[in-house]
Amino acid sequence: MRLIIAVDGPAAAGKGTLAKALAMALGLPHLDTGLLYRAVARQMILSGLDPASDDGEQTAHALQPADLLRDDLRVPEIDRGASAVATQTPVRAALLKRQREFATASGAVIDGRDIGTVVFPDADLKFFVTASAAVRALRRYQQLHGVAKPDQADLDLLAAEIEARDRKDAERPVSPLRQADDAILVETDHLDAQAVLAHALSIVKTRFAT
Ligand code: DC
């Protein structure tokens, strides 16, 4: 089936993990759209531009598939840079086309902030995945540092950064982070990745009788 499934939500809520697992379970391609914004920020920095103040449109148009495969896209500098370039309307327009082309041919599970509201408002199914800032900070800490016991001060700092980024993503005038009216809310504070996947798959099965 050529389903388009949108998975939106704030930073470190588990949407990427869900989208990837759902894509694998359903035999669909997966697109992490946050990587596009991250790659634009990284390429700008490599060209001597500042994602917070310079125009990223040309960089967005020139983005190459290999730019998404770099291993230096999930670092704090790029967390901030991606959130900054994501406020630029021409950057979003350039990336919108890529996202639609990716998913239209074969269907896809696609995760981001505005997939269900702007990129694919007619998606077959939409999830909005969220969790409290404290839980999201712990998950981000574990992504960055493994299972080492976190220092409370580090966790507080991460939670503050995550909340600042959420605010920026939700308050920007263009394509803000927002739950689509027809999206299914999935709260992951008390669910591990397997339980979230099982829940989402049960909804897919009910909805599409696969
Ligand atoms: O999902 P992520 O943390 O990798 O996303 C990085 C940044 O990109 C995030 O601050 C918001 C932005 N983004 C966006 O504005 N729209 C999307 N569809 C995906 C990400």
Side-chain angles (χ1 to χ4, degrees):
M1 240 198 296
R2 273 197 337 203
L3 293 179
I4 294 187
I5 301 182
V7 183
D8 288 304
K15 63 184 184 311
T17 305
L18 171 62
K20 204 170 176 178
L22 205 50
M24 196 175 280
L26 298 172
L28 289 169
H30 166 229
L31 180 63
D32 169 358
T33 61
L35 270 188
L36 297 171
Y37 293 91
R38 287 175 181 274
V40 171
R42 173 54 75 202
Q43 293 303 313
M44 287 180 75
I45 291 168
L46 289 172
S47 312
L49 297 172
D50 179 356
S53 53
D54 290 320
D55 182 350
E57 182 179 9
Q58 280 197 356
T59 311
H61 280 294
L63 212 59
Q64 299 297 313
D67 299 338
L68 305 181
L69 303 176
R70 300 177 61 98
D71 61 7
D72 57 359
L73 298 180
R74 293 192 189 281
V75 295
E77 178 189 31
I78 300 298
D79 288 347
R80 290 188 292 275
S83 192
V85 291
T87 64
Q88 296 185 22
T89 304
V91 168
R92 300 201 73 87
L95 298 182
L96 182 67
K97 195 162 167 275
R98 285 173 189 262
Q99 294 169 67
R100 289 194 175 144
E101 281 168 2
F102 178 90
T104 307
S106 54
V109 182
I110 172 162
D111 73 83
R113 302 291 190 289
D114 61 340
I115 309 306
T117 51
V118 173
V119 182
F120 286 107
D122 298 326
D124 299 290
L125 186 58
K126 301 175 186 177
F127 292 106
F128 191 86
V129 181
T130 190
S132 65
V135 166
R136 292 187 288 129
L138 181 61
R139 289 184 188 152
R140 183 47 57 89
Y141 183 92
Q142 288 170 342
Q143 270 173 6
L144 293 171
H145 306 289
V147 289
K149 187 160 168 26
D151 185 84
Q152 191 56 44
D154 288 344
L155 273 187
D156 291 346
L157 192 66
L158 263 179
E161 278 175 13
I162 283 177
E163 284 178 313
R165 200 146 67 90
D166 289 347
R167 249 195 318 279
K168 195 170 173 131
D169 292 341
E171 288 175 359
R172 66 176 177 232
V174 48
S175 298
L177 168 68
R178 180 173 77 68
Q179 181 179 348
D181 294 339
D182 53 350
I184 296 166
L185 181 65
V186 182
E187 307 234 25
T188 67
D189 268 29
H190 304 292
L191 298 176
D192 65 13
Q194 259 186 324
V196 174
L197 174 64
H199 176 59
L201 274 177
S202 73
I203 292 169
V204 171
K205 292 210 164 97
T206 311
R207 191 71 79 86
F208 303 106
T210 55

